[in-house]
Amino acid sequence: MTSGRTLATAYDGTDTARRVEEIEAELPAAVTAELDRFLAARREVCADLAPEFVDAVDDLSAMALGGGKRLRPTFAWWGWRAADGPTAGRTSPDVVLRVVSALELVQACALVHDDLIDDSDLRRGIPTVHARWTARHRERGWIGEPDRLGAAIAILVGDLALAWSDDMLRGAGLDATTLGRAAPVWDAMRTEMLAGQFLDVVGHATDLATPEGVLRISRYKTAAYTIERPLHLGAAIAGADDALVGALRRFGTDLGIAFQLRDDLLGVFGDPAVTGKPAGDDLREGKRTLLVALARRHPDPAAAAPVEQALGKQDLTPAEVDAARSALVDLGVVAQVEERIDTLTASALDALDSGDAVELHPDARERLTTLAVAATRRTF
């Protein structure tokens, strides 16, 4: 740490500054280690409860531990640092680490359920939970419909992840006062995430996606629980004032929507070797993204026809994917989305430089700026 402020140097006899630096040197790995410890302990309980349940627990562990950039815990950690949490001395860095790690279980819930909703066979290059259990049903010659079992297990595994995320948060070691500040943020985040998913499902069913509606879904389905609320959670743990919380939330909202728009572009143009999903998978799944909404609004329906024809077509060929991609580029839709990403990213960074962010810790300002670029320029 090189900022002008000095971290607190004592917490229960430990060197807080040194511990903060240790965690930040390998934050994603530290989060994974916390998750591994928590899930291993829960696995033992479940093995005693019902040995056959362990396969489902192991699937959840594979989802939670098997990949991801740990963005949500990272933003939550830097929300705590933004409000000078270590100097406040109220909460041990290791307790904060356990709290922010719980966000990965919320993410695991969202991914398992999202894969089921989208009927995706792969996630990060490996079979999704429902696909795995469908295959197990067939391989083991069980009775009933394999697909129904796969769907049922995926629902239960996602529910388990959400329940355990709450357990991990509330068992992390926060004192009652700090937990009282954190809990409302946590509760709001989960509700917003589910509301966004609901709006997405209904929007798909009604097929009335508009650019404005898509951005509203992105706000709740992705931005709120990916960046905005994690930052808010960390700041709440540190006891940040309303002005700083407001600045962080503005940063998180704009950056979170930009993050989703980048994800939408990757869902159509991303390299399968990098994304872990088939080429053009968002088109095959019929996702009503901003790309699609803008293409449908284009004054030349004939030029947008390859996009419309590809949308939701399960047997989409590589040639049809290429045709839809070319149409999106030629229509100017890709350029419009890129421009929107740039505008939102700039607005997010402006929030860090606003008067409300005057108390933002210099280390956090630097790190959040770096994260903003990484989140919106990524190829993963």
Side-chain angles (χ1 to χ4, degrees):
M1 300 298 154
T2 59
S3 73
R5 302 189 198 183
T6 302
L7 295 174
T9 56
Y11 185 90
D12 290 345
T14 66
D15 185 339
T16 298
R18 185 176 67 248
R19 182 59 183 144
V20 167
E21 290 176 354
E22 288 172 353
I23 292 171
E24 288 175 4
E26 296 290 345
L27 183 54
V31 169
T32 299
E34 286 295 331
L35 286 168
D36 195 17
R37 280 190 286 271
F38 178 86
L39 290 169
R42 289 305 171 100
R43 188 183 193 277
E44 290 184 10
V45 172
C46 291
D48 291 338
L49 181 66
E52 56 267 43
F53 189 31
V54 170
D55 282 346
V57 174
D58 287 345
D59 286 338
L60 172 56
S61 296
M63 173 65 75
L65 301 174
K69 302 296 182 180
R70 309 304 186 208
L71 282 177
R72 292 156 189 83
T74 297
F75 279 110
W77 176 270
W78 284 102
W80 178 65
R81 289 278 277 110
D84 231 358
T87 300
R90 298 185 184 95
T91 308
S92 158
D94 287 292
V95 169
V96 176
L97 178 62
R98 286 193 289 274
V99 170
V100 304
S101 297
L103 288 162
E104 284 297 295
L105 292 176
V106 179
Q107 167 71 343
C109 165
L111 293 180
V112 172
H113 285 171
D114 205 43
D115 287 339
L116 176 60
I117 291 167
D118 293 339
D119 196 23
S120 297
D121 291 331
L122 294 175
R123 167 70 64 177
R124 297 168 182 161
I126 63 173
T128 54
V129 171
H130 68 275
R132 192 174 305 175
W133 279 91
T134 298
R136 283 174 180 159
H137 185 292
R138 293 194 176 105
E139 291 164 1
R140 299 173 185 180
W142 291 344
I143 63 172
E145 294 295 326
D147 289 342
R148 285 183 63 84
L149 177 83
I153 298 298
I155 292 168
L156 293 171
V157 169
D159 289 350
L160 185 66
L162 192 60
W164 281 359
S165 72
D166 199 59
D167 293 348
M168 192 173 186
L169 168 79
R170 297 179 192 279
L174 294 174
D175 63 65
T177 299
T178 306
L179 181 58
R181 292 195 302 267
V185 182
W186 181 266
D187 296 346
M189 175 192 68
R190 292 182 303 165
T191 300
E192 289 161 354
M193 179 188 76
L194 293 170
Q197 184 68 75
F198 171 85
L199 291 171
D200 192 23
V201 170
V202 172
H204 182 93
T206 57
D207 201 21
L208 297 175
T210 64
E212 298 77 17
V214 168
L215 290 172
R216 182 174 68 139
I217 292 169
S218 297
R219 161 75 174 82
Y220 291 117
K221 183 181 176 183
T222 301
Y225 95 101
T226 300
I227 302 178
E228 178 197 351
R229 291 299 189 181
L231 283 167
H232 190 183
L233 178 68
I237 292 170
D241 62 28
D242 290 344
L244 180 54
V245 167
L248 290 172
R249 289 187 65 186
R250 290 194 299 276
F251 168 84
T253 298
D254 287 347
L255 185 61
I257 296 172
F259 174 90
Q260 179 59 57
L261 296 182
R262 176 61 61 198
D263 202 56
D264 292 343
L265 285 168
L266 290 172
V268 176
F269 294 93
D271 181 352
V274 177
T275 64
K277 285 196 168 190
D281 208 37
D282 280 6
L283 293 170
R284 190 173 292 102
E285 293 172 4
K287 289 189 176 179
R288 271 56 176 174
T289 63
L290 185 61
L291 287 165
V292 171
L294 291 172
R296 285 180 162 181
R297 184 173 281 187
H298 196 274
D300 184 357
V307 179
E308 196 68 44
Q309 292 163 2
L311 200 62
K313 186 176 181 181
Q314 294 299 309
D315 58 349
L316 197 61
T317 67
E320 289 170 326
V321 171
D322 288 342
R325 286 171 166 172
S326 296
L328 289 169
V329 173
D330 293 343
L331 291 167
V333 167
V334 173
Q336 290 180 62
V337 174
E338 289 283 6
E339 183 179 0
R340 184 68 65 98
I341 291 171
D342 289 343
T343 299
L344 286 164
T345 304
S347 176
L349 294 174
D350 284 345
L352 297 184
D353 292 327
S354 68
D356 288 341
V358 66
E359 294 299 321
L360 182 69
H361 194 284
D363 288 346
R365 188 188 307 277
E366 178 181 354
R367 183 59 179 149
L368 290 174
T369 299
T370 300
L371 285 168
V373 174
T376 57
R377 298 298 175 197
R378 73 196 197 283
T379 59
F380 55 84

